[in-house]
Amino acid sequence: MTETTENLSGEKAPVHWVAFFVALIAAPLIPAVLAYGLTALLEHFDLAPSGLPVLAGVILMAPAFGGLGYLVVGGPFLWHAARSKTGFAGAAFAANIASTPLVAIALFLLPGGSTDVGSMTGFIVGFGSIFAPLWGAIFGMLYPRLCNVRWLP
């Protein structure tokens, strides 16, 4: 289940397909699940600050707004980072910036979409500038560990 590729220095780095896709899918979901769990726990004990449910809602909705772009554009960038074994958060941020024209085109083509495509693109890419490096860093923590799991095919 590994594909051997060469990075820029000529060293071969195995890319474990199963570990790659598990980490790719899990990285956006982990902060969402943690935000939901922490908010529910703190609200149960009446310890939640006033803005926490709003922040948790933003974190919970982030995969819905940016998940497709993360998978389609971020996946190849993270694949390249997995080959070289460096810069996962930077690769995810670069993918977010590279996806800006695609976001604008998608918003323009939406039926009944917003007439203010520029500000909506800025909104989505702006939030992506926060979440893409976070998801890339989580991917970078998960992927090497999953490569060493014996029960993965």
Side-chain angles (χ1 to χ4, degrees):
M1 286 312 244
T2 60
E3 175 185 317
T4 303
T5 56
E6 291 187 26
N7 59 18
L8 295 176
S9 64
E11 299 173 14
K12 292 186 177 185
V15 177
H16 193 285
W17 283 70
V18 176
F20 179 83
F21 285 112
V22 169
L24 189 68
I25 300 294
L29 299 178
I30 288 173
V33 169
L34 290 176
Y36 176 77
L38 179 65
T39 303
L41 182 69
L42 290 176
E43 284 186 346
H44 177 73
F45 292 110
D46 293 326
L47 298 172
S50 61
L52 184 64
V54 174
L55 178 63
V58 169
I59 295 171
L60 282 169
M61 292 304 296
F65 280 101
L68 183 62
Y70 167 77
L71 293 174
V72 172
V73 180
F77 277 74
L78 290 171
W79 178 264
H80 177 71
R83 287 189 315 190
S84 61
K85 296 183 179 182
T86 58
F88 294 106
F93 182 75
N96 180 59
I97 300 304
S99 71
T100 302
L102 297 175
V103 170
I105 291 169
L107 288 172
F108 181 75
L109 295 176
L110 279 175
S114 173
T115 57
D116 193 9
V117 173
S119 65
M120 285 301 296
T121 301
F123 173 78
I124 292 173
V125 173
F127 271 102
S129 297
I130 298 167
F131 287 104
L134 173 67
W135 295 348
I138 293 170
F139 175 89
M141 288 186 274
L142 288 175
Y143 174 70
R145 286 167 179 78
L146 289 172
C147 286
N148 295 327
V149 174
R150 296 186 191 274
W151 49 267
L152 282 177

